[in-house]
Amino acid sequence: MEFQLTAEQVGLQQSVRRLLAARAAPRSAFTEEAPAQARALWAALNDVGLGALGLDLPQYELTSTAIEQMLVAEELGRAVAPVPFTGVAAATSLLSRGTEPAAAHLLEQVIEGRITVAALPAATGGGVDVKAAAGDEGWTVDGEVAIVPGGAWAQTLLVVAHTTNGTPAVLAVELDAPGVTTTPLPAIDPTAGLAQVGFSRTPAVPVLVHDADEAISAASALATLLVAAESTGVAERALRIAAEYALTRRQFGHPIGAFQAIKHKLADMLVLVENARSACYGAAWQLSGGEDAGLYVAMAKAVASESATQVAADALQIHGGIGCTFEHDIHLYLRRAKSGQLLYGDTAEHLDVIAAALLDEPIPGGATR
Amino acid sequence: MTEVTSTSAQSTGEFRAELSAWLDANLPEGWGTPAFRMPKGAEPRREFIRDLQRRMAEDRWIAIHWPAEFGGRGATMDQQIAYHAELARRGVPRPLGHIGLNLCGPTIIRHGTDWQRERFLRPMLVGEEIWCEGFSEPGAGSDLAGLRTRGRIEGDEMVIEGQKTWNTGGHYAQWMFALVRTDPDAPKHEGLSFVLIPMDAPGVTVRPIERICREHDINDVFLDSVRIPLTHVVGPLHGGWGVTRTTLNHERYTQFLASQIGFRRTLDKVVDLARRTGPLGRRPADRPEVRSALARKWIASELIRLHGLRNIASVQSSGEPGPEGAIMKAFGQEQEKQLHELAMDLSGAAGLLDRGSALAPDRGKWVFGYLRSRASTIAGGTSEIQHNVIAERVLGMPRDPWLTQES
């Protein structure tokens, strides 16, 4: 693995960073305007091609991989941007593997800016509570998805549902279709746009009906990595804010960053940030190389989201009293970090995946003793 | 030495194939099979390694990071990674005097005179002359530049007086590279010189230090009117601090290769231990807290590797390794300590049993490791110092208020 970023990758990182500095307004997520603001920000990001990232589409002259997606996710985390990037990336991943005729058209719509979000069971670690059935007038879905990240802003949803023969399928549902109930969910991190979505005889368009498992797990792995990468960005920015504060805030005649109690905490935070980034790089390079990345994605998620929560909490602590006020921004990072830690599998779940590979696989070459 | 061309133009694949073919042809008969045994005892073992090292050095397979004209290969970082991985995979022991090969050799190559290169590099390469380090002193640990061993100039000689400590291998080394204070009136960092001292010189006394794990590998070295010619000064007289920075940077730069391989090997043994039913009838891998603790250590091993690769990428784009090395070090040394503690804890009360007890898991290896690894957050810069370095040099925090007087 060669962890050198290309000039194009650095350019992408910088242009997204600039755009977000000018446009991202995390506090808008706490207001009535949240959905309109989120959609407007996504439109601006989509204009620079973020909706099509990760796709290999000759007809659009687009080729990018999980590495570019990871870099962008890190920027979104850094800006605490209220956009459904992860859900859209998971949706494009599913659509690009779609076997049904509608997939290509739906993908074009995403690239044109229609907010299409995948409602993956992996987001909540739960099962599938939606049923799909084919009738004379096409497919319908029934049931409920309890938590859909980005669901509060989405226009189209890709739902994982059980078909009548019990196998999973992926279907597209327009959220303004009859029989859809979208309930935005008040939560610790309004920038995640969580919603509960219910279906009652809702018309749906099939995307993947047979052998959907592999596509669903690929989309889940990608989404999990991207949440981890967002956490890395959150952690990095929270650390920088805390370091800046430690240099300017003076007590006992010195900047508080001169005291070892503070500087050692900052050093620990930097180690956590770098751990998060290394873990995400490892997983992104593995994914982009088409290799089995399961363990590396589990590592990235376990490390980055836990690190981000710790770093954001420590950043708040370094701010003292002011860190506990709504007026100061540091709580935005703590909220986003905690949200990222509990979505797409918590730390314990991902550690379980690694432990199983380490401890339950047969020992290569047979028992050693 | 047959050729003097660098292998840096070779692809890593070609390099690996050449190395692999060499090892196939030259490792002793039966190597890698369970029947193969290294000789027992420190001296016979060293003799065995020296013989292998001599043959490896003939074909330039020892200090591959050295330039080709000095017997290395000018190997790229990728080639060095491939080299260390392949040697570790085959269980080839570290060469004798690796401290010299990794630290002193590059320093002599970079700052030494032609005579010094001619005289010292070759015996270092083949393991005929083993080098030890004389940096730390009883009063100069974390604050290395505060060292007080004096080097007084008398004509074309230097007379050295003082004490070095935490010296690895001084009881069998032939040479020591050391920092001594040659100008006591200059500011702390400006009056030091980098010198080469023969261990058999009159006035050199080596006194063993026994570790808490009962191992002896480190020493005090007393220097009592030890005379060396001024031709044994590397780099400018009084310019030793600058010379030493090359040495220390190199230490950090190459360290992760060895430390990741070592960590991974220990982890594999701990995983193996966890999967067995212990002498008291329990199988650690069945306990949830053990499972997540081991998963975290697998992650640590991967992170050490990934940090190293990222560090190399940044070295390759910026030229020199930066203080980011301290981040890897702070993380790696803490993890090593934790891994050994986990290994001991896995076996519960049986984990307490040491060498000599029939019930001791892995013949008492983990009690030894637990005690020995206490040093990992101390040796080569304590974790507290690493934290200061990270906060000050990477994050730009001010120095401690107490330290602003002195520098």
Side-chain angles (χ1 to χ4, degrees):
Chain A
M1 271 182 261
E2 275 264 9
F3 291 127
Q4 299 272 18
L5 296 184
T6 64
E8 289 77 17
Q9 287 165 342
V10 174
L12 172 70
Q13 225 175 7
Q14 287 171 348
S15 68
V16 172
R17 188 177 301 184
R18 273 195 302 272
L19 198 155
L20 290 170
R23 297 288 303 270
R27 282 178 181 273
S28 70
F30 291 84
T31 69
E32 297 284 296
E33 277 85 63
Q37 292 272 355
R39 286 176 183 146
L41 178 58
W42 180 250
L45 292 169
N46 195 65
D47 282 347
V48 298
L50 294 204
L53 270 189
L55 296 176
D56 186 3
L57 296 174
Q59 68 270 39
Y60 292 102
E61 296 180 1
L62 290 171
T63 44
S64 57
T65 66
I67 296 172
E68 283 79 8
Q69 290 175 299
M70 173 200 66
L71 294 172
V72 166
E74 200 181 315
E75 294 305 322
L76 294 168
R78 194 191 302 265
V80 201
V83 283
F85 178 68
T86 298
V88 174
T92 55
S93 168
L94 286 171
L95 291 171
S96 68
R97 291 158 188 260
T99 49
E100 301 297 315
H105 174 63
L106 286 161
L107 192 55
E108 272 173 45
Q109 285 190 332
V110 180
I111 294 167
E112 280 157 21
R114 188 167 177 85
I115 303 179
T116 305
V117 162
L120 294 168
T124 52
V128 177
D129 288 325
V130 181
K131 289 190 168 29
D136 296 340
E137 289 164 33
W139 289 76
T140 52
V141 289
D142 275 277
E144 183 187 271
V145 189
I147 297 177
V148 182
W153 313 316
Q155 294 159 308
T156 302
L157 214 59
L158 299 187
V159 187
V160 177
H162 283 306
T163 58
T164 40
N165 63 15
T167 58
V170 178
L171 300 102
V173 177
E174 302 307 320
L175 288 180
D176 54 6
V180 180
T181 332
T182 306
T183 314
L185 300 169
I188 187 168
D189 174 32
T191 69
L194 304 183
Q196 179 183 32
V197 187
F199 313 103
S200 171
R201 299 187 54 77
T202 304
V205 179
V207 172
L208 276 152
V209 178
H210 305 288
D211 304 322
D213 285 314
E214 208 175 303
I216 294 168
S217 74
S220 303
L222 176 64
T224 305
L225 166 66
L226 296 181
V227 173
E230 286 192 3
S231 297
T232 303
V234 170
E236 153 91 30
R237 188 74 192 108
L239 166 62
R240 297 294 154 186
I241 293 170
E244 223 164 275
Y245 185 76
L247 283 175
T248 48
R249 169 75 177 165
R250 298 177 70 91
Q251 288 288 274
F252 308 105
H254 296 279
I256 61 169
F259 301 119
Q260 289 193 338
I262 300 294
K263 73 165 60 155
H264 286 192
K265 193 186 280 292
L266 287 165
D268 282 331
M269 290 159 72
L270 182 65
V271 170
L272 291 177
V273 169
E274 293 304 323
N275 283 351
R277 187 169 288 132
S278 284
C280 287
Y281 274 35
W285 257 262
Q286 199 91 4
L287 266 185
S288 71
E291 289 167 75
D292 177 29
L295 286 186
Y296 287 88
V297 169
M299 167 175 79
K301 181 60 169 63
V303 171
S305 64
E306 187 178 59
S307 297
T309 306
Q310 182 69 48
V311 170
D314 286 344
L316 191 152
Q317 173 71 21
I318 287 172
H319 280 79
I322 192 82
C324 299
T325 65
F326 188 75
E327 184 189 354
H328 196 280
D329 280 347
I330 201 71
H331 68 94
L332 301 175
Y333 298 87
L334 182 65
R335 290 167 182 272
R336 179 81 162 226
K338 187 43 98 177
S339 174
Q341 191 182 8
L342 300 186
L343 289 170
Y344 290 96
D346 62 19
T347 309
E349 279 179 64
H350 290 291
L351 290 177
D352 277 348
V353 170
I354 293 167
L358 213 53
L359 296 169
D360 303 337
E361 299 288 317
I363 296 165
T368 49
R369 68 200 69 240
Chain B
M1 259 147 274
T2 46
E3 317 152 51
V4 285
T5 47
S6 159
T7 54
S8 60
Q10 254 180 355
S11 78
T12 307
E14 287 163 355
F15 173 88
R16 196 182 287 117
E18 191 185 335
L19 171 63
S20 190
W22 191 92
L23 292 170
D24 285 342
N26 288 280
L27 284 177
E29 193 79 21
W31 185 274
T33 63
F36 187 82
R37 290 267 181 276
M38 295 256 284
K40 289 229 179 293
E43 199 39 52
R45 196 183 136 88
R46 269 202 287 277
E47 223 17 78
F48 173 86
I49 297 174
R50 187 175 286 120
D51 180 61
L52 177 61
Q53 180 169 349
R54 197 174 294 126
R55 283 182 293 122
M56 288 177 79
E58 279 315 319
D59 292 323
R60 300 189 298 132
W61 287 116
I62 287 296
I64 63 162
H65 55 296
W66 290 13
E69 54 178 314
F70 302 115
R73 289 179 170 252
T76 65
M77 218 48 225
D78 285 343
Q79 290 172 349
Q80 291 181 51
I81 294 169
Y83 171 85
H84 287 285
E86 181 66 12
L87 262 52
R89 195 179 67 78
R90 298 201 189 215
V92 177
R94 291 222 276 190
L96 299 175
H98 58 86
I99 297 176
L101 293 166
N102 287 330
L103 304 181
C104 190
T107 308
I108 289 178
I109 289 170
R110 172 123 176 228
H111 299 282
T113 61
D114 285 343
W115 176 81
Q116 287 168 348
R117 292 167 172 170
E118 189 68 27
R119 164 64 187 82
F120 294 115
L121 294 179
R122 173 80 193 161
M124 191 185 287
L125 213 48
V126 296
E128 262 165 32
E129 288 181 348
I130 295 175
W131 286 75
C132 61
E133 182 182 276
F135 282 179
S136 295
E137 295 182 7
S142 295
D143 180 15
L144 179 60
L147 62 88
R148 288 163 57 186
T149 292
R150 275 281 279 127
R152 209 174 58 249
I153 313 298
E154 274 185 16
D156 54 5
E157 283 190 332
M158 186 187 294
V159 184
I160 303 171
E161 199 77 49
Q163 182 190 347
K164 294 293 176 182
T165 191
W166 313 132
N167 159 281
T168 303
H171 50 303
Y172 55 81
Q174 283 76 38
W175 286 87
M176 175 165 77
F177 56 98
L179 264 187
V180 299
R181 184 163 304 283
T182 41
D183 182 357
D185 301 323
K188 170 162 152 178
H189 294 88
E190 289 168 27
L192 304 173
S193 298
F194 191 102
V195 297
L196 311 176
I197 303 171
M199 295 301 280
D200 60 359
V204 176
T205 311
V206 178
R207 189 185 72 90
I209 297 172
E210 187 180 13
R211 288 182 185 255
I212 54 174
C213 58
R214 312 302 307 267
E215 186 185 16
H216 166 223
D217 60 332
I218 46 181
N219 308 285
D220 281 317
V221 178
F222 297 92
L223 302 160
D224 182 13
S225 298
V226 175
R227 289 180 174 270
I228 59 164
L230 288 180
T231 50
H232 287 190
V233 176
V234 180
L237 193 65
H238 313 317
W241 187 250
V243 173
T244 307
R245 289 190 82 90
T246 311
T247 318
L248 295 180
N249 262 344
H250 216 91
E251 181 173 5
R252 218 153 271 156
Y253 184 33
T254 50
Q255 188 54 40
F256 97 93
L257 293 168
S259 70
Q260 200 262 333
I261 289 165
F263 191 91
R264 185 56 204 249
R265 280 182 162 180
T266 307
L267 175 65
D268 288 345
K269 288 180 189 140
V270 182
V271 166
D272 184 52
L273 178 68
R275 296 174 64 138
R276 278 182 272 147
T277 301
L280 303 183
R282 67 177 181 183
R283 185 177 172 270
D286 295 332
R287 301 166 62 196
E289 68 279 13
V290 166
R291 297 176 68 84
S292 67
L294 280 168
R296 285 182 186 278
K297 291 299 161 263
W298 178 84
I299 288 175
S301 143
E302 286 301 308
L303 288 178
I304 293 169
R305 184 176 67 87
L306 292 163
H307 283 327
L309 294 172
R310 281 183 56 213
N311 201 37
I312 285 169
S314 84
V315 168
Q316 283 170 340
S317 51
S318 71
E320 284 283 303
E324 288 81 2
I327 297 171
M328 288 162 52
K329 197 160 181 160
F331 177 69
Q333 61 189 13
E334 180 60 37
Q335 289 299 318
E336 193 179 317
K337 207 160 76 169
Q338 289 180 11
L339 178 60
H340 278 282
E341 178 151 22
L342 173 62
M344 209 174 92
D345 291 356
L346 285 184
S347 307
L352 301 171
L353 303 176
D354 203 351
R355 282 165 291 183
S357 157
L359 281 183
D362 293 325
R363 294 189 295 278
K365 170 188 189 56
W366 304 114
V367 169
F368 178 87
Y370 172 72
L371 292 171
R372 194 183 200 282
S373 65
R374 295 295 101 189
S376 52
T377 46
I378 298 169
T382 63
S383 48
E384 287 72 20
I385 289 293
Q386 304 298 337
H387 277 71
N388 283 350
V389 170
I390 293 169
E392 291 167 13
R393 296 209 209 135
V394 186
L395 293 172
M397 290 301 120
R399 305 201 64 190
D400 266 58
W402 325 90
L403 290 174
T404 41
Q405 315 301 323
E406 202 196 341
S407 78

